[in-house]
Structure formats: C-alpha cells, structure tokens
Amino acid sequence: MSDAKQAALTRRTALALATAGVAAAAATPAFAVGAIKHYIIVELLPGQDQNVLDRWYMTFHSQQVHRAFKAWQRNYVSYRAYMVPPEAAKHYPIDFGRMTEIQFDSLADFRETRPHNIYGELSSYTPPPGGWEGQKLFKATTATIPVNPQDLFLNSPTPPKEIPYFRWIVFFRYPKGVTEAAGDAWYKGVHAKEIAKLPGLKRFGLYHTVTEQAAYPHVAEMWFDDYDAWRKAFIAPAPKFTPPPWGGAEPFVEMISMFVGENPDVDFINDRRAIP
C-alpha cells in the first residue's frame, strides 16, 4: 500500500467518531425500517489516559459532531465503561473507554447526515491530542441497529433500584467461512437459548445491523444486576455451551465487548448529567 493510501486510511479510521460511521450506511437492505440507533464502542488504547479521552471528547468532539448533525439526531448520549477485574478479560475480549449511542428517526435520516455536510471535513474538527494522523488515543467501532432488537430472548422485570443495572454490549461476527445463515441457525437456535437460561440474566436481546457494511454485523445486549451476577453466569462456574458446527473454543465467534451501566453519564443534546 502506498504512503498516500495509508495516510488516507489512517484519516478515515481517525474520523470514525467525527462522521458517526455514516459511511457504513451507503447501502440499505430491505429490512431496515423504523427508528435506529448507532452504537459506537470507543476503545481506549493501551497506555492511554481515560481522562484525556474524556476531556477531548466532551469538550470538543461531541459539540462539533452535534453541530454538524443536530438536524437529524434524536438523542446523543455516552456511557463511561465500567472497569472490571482482570479475570473478565481472561475469558472474553473486554474494551475500556466509552460507548456512545446516537438515535435517529429512521435509517434515511441517518444516511442523510453525510452528503455535502458543510461541517464534515477533517479540518472542521478539533483533533485528539497528538493529531488525527496516526493517533494512538482510541479506536472506534460502530454498529447501526434498530432501537429495539430483532430478537428478544429474555425480558425479565427490571424494577428501579439504587445501583443501576449492568449491561454487557457485545459486537460479534462469525468466523471466516461461516455463512450468516449457518451462524444464525446455531446462535439463535441453540446458543441464545442456553444463554437465556444463565442465572442472574435479566434481559437479552440480539440486534442485526441495518447497513450492509459492518465490521461486526451482530450486537448482543445482556443485562445483569451487577458484575458479580455476570461473573456467576459466565465465569464461576464456567457455563457449558453447545459448540457450533464449525467448532472452536468459547465464545465461538469473533467479538469485542464493553460493560456499561444503565444510565449515560453525559447527554450531549440536553446537557443533563446522569449518575452512571
């Protein structure tokens, strides 16, 4: 790859937050209907300071993104990731940083944010510390999904409580060579049913992205009372899941994930600060 192409690729990666991933909405499958939300896992890279990310993101980037896209955004909130014991990362890929959620009335509104946006060029956005080129502060991964999951495997009562519920957000894809049909047959027909029986699980929904281009076409969201409840379900003792036809070790899929709370800690549109 030429230096020019590599530089262009670096810029596109760095602008994943600034553009809110709308380039992924270039193609629209027929099933994309209704209100949608855009999940952005903002992974703090190793050795970086969360406070540096938050200062840049809240002071500059969020305000500039909202300036550019406020005509379409229904909401724009962000959740600071929960720090959990290292044991979690020994079993599953766990990211730290932030998860941002932006809602739109429709996929058409989401797609409309990009063409000819006068605020949308690189020079319009304050760069993160160190600049856009080769920045080492964060990595952003997006998934554009319906507001409600297409598959709801468990929806137990979650009455208000003093400590917010504990959410596990999982972006995943099937291994190379596994078709979506084969993967979905196992996940929805076998794996999801076993997960839904785990102790302490309150809610469990599965989303399929509504854009044809997505690094991770599936998003699973699971709710627990707290980390201890998640640990009892997934670590101690380790559950025995039925492996898929393609084999491999649990979790059997390629994934990234993040733990967040029930409430966002910042609302960029209404400037209301919630207790995370």
Side-chain angles (χ1 to χ4, degrees):
M1 183 181 294
S2 68
D3 291 343
K5 289 183 178 180
Q6 182 63 53
L9 180 61
T10 301
R11 284 194 296 272
R12 286 195 296 272
T13 301
L15 279 169
L17 292 179
T19 61
V22 292
T28 309
F31 59 79
V33 295
I36 61 99
K37 57 187 176 182
H38 193 59
Y39 276 179
I40 311 172
I41 286 184
V42 186
E43 175 191 357
L44 184 71
L45 295 179
Q48 300 300 311
D49 189 334
Q50 176 80 50
N51 291 325
V52 173
L53 172 63
D54 283 355
R55 177 183 289 270
W56 167 76
Y57 190 43
M58 294 183 183
T59 304
F60 300 107
H61 194 70
S62 61
Q63 308 306 312
Q64 293 162 353
V65 168
H66 186 49
R67 174 194 66 183
F69 303 128
K70 64 182 178 182
W72 301 276
Q73 291 174 341
R74 171 63 65 181
N75 82 339
Y76 182 9
V77 297
S78 190
Y79 305 79
R80 185 162 178 164
Y82 282 171
M83 299 293 291
V84 297
E87 64 178 359
K90 292 180 180 179
H91 291 79
Y92 299 96
I94 306 294
D95 291 336
F96 299 101
R98 288 198 157 272
M99 193 193 81
T100 291
E101 176 184 343
I102 308 174
Q103 291 188 3
F104 298 83
D105 284 335
S106 66
L107 185 59
D109 278 0
F110 176 64
R111 296 180 67 195
E112 193 181 355
T113 61
R114 183 57 176 165
H116 309 301
N117 193 299
I118 199 167
Y119 300 111
E121 297 301 323
L122 179 64
S123 59
S124 296
Y125 294 89
T126 301
W132 285 118
E133 293 291 346
Q135 66 88 16
K136 299 179 180 178
L137 180 60
F138 67 88
K139 176 183 177 182
T141 307
T142 66
T144 308
I145 55 181
V147 167
N148 294 325
Q150 288 101 328
D151 297 282
L152 186 61
F153 300 107
L154 182 67
N155 192 20
S156 299
T158 51
K161 63 189 185 74
E162 183 176 358
I163 299 176
Y165 290 95
F166 185 81
R167 299 163 61 199
W168 192 26
I169 310 297
V170 180
F171 289 14
F172 73 91
R173 62 193 175 208
Y174 301 122
K176 186 176 180 179
V178 178
T179 66
E180 289 296 300
D184 285 350
W186 166 77
Y187 192 95
K188 292 193 286 187
V190 179
H191 194 54
K193 293 178 180 179
E194 295 177 341
I195 291 176
K197 295 178 181 179
L198 292 176
L201 181 62
K202 299 290 187 180
R203 294 180 179 174
F204 175 26
L206 177 66
Y207 303 87
H208 305 271
T209 56
V210 294
T211 55
E212 290 185 351
Q213 299 176 12
Y216 295 91
H218 311 280
V219 178
E221 182 166 339
M222 288 163 263
W223 289 42
F224 293 86
D225 278 330
D226 49 31
Y227 174 77
D228 285 342
W230 177 86
R231 183 180 185 275
K232 290 175 182 176
F234 281 97
I235 295 182
K240 294 182 179 180
F241 293 124
T242 301
W246 57 86
E250 210 270 332
F252 309 115
V253 296
E254 298 172 2
M255 60 172 278
I256 62 173
S257 71
M258 183 171 282
F259 293 115
V260 297
E262 177 186 3
N263 304 316
D265 63 305
V266 59
D267 182 330
F268 294 120
I269 291 180
N270 299 300
D271 196 29
R272 289 200 302 264
R273 300 300 173 94
I275 299 174

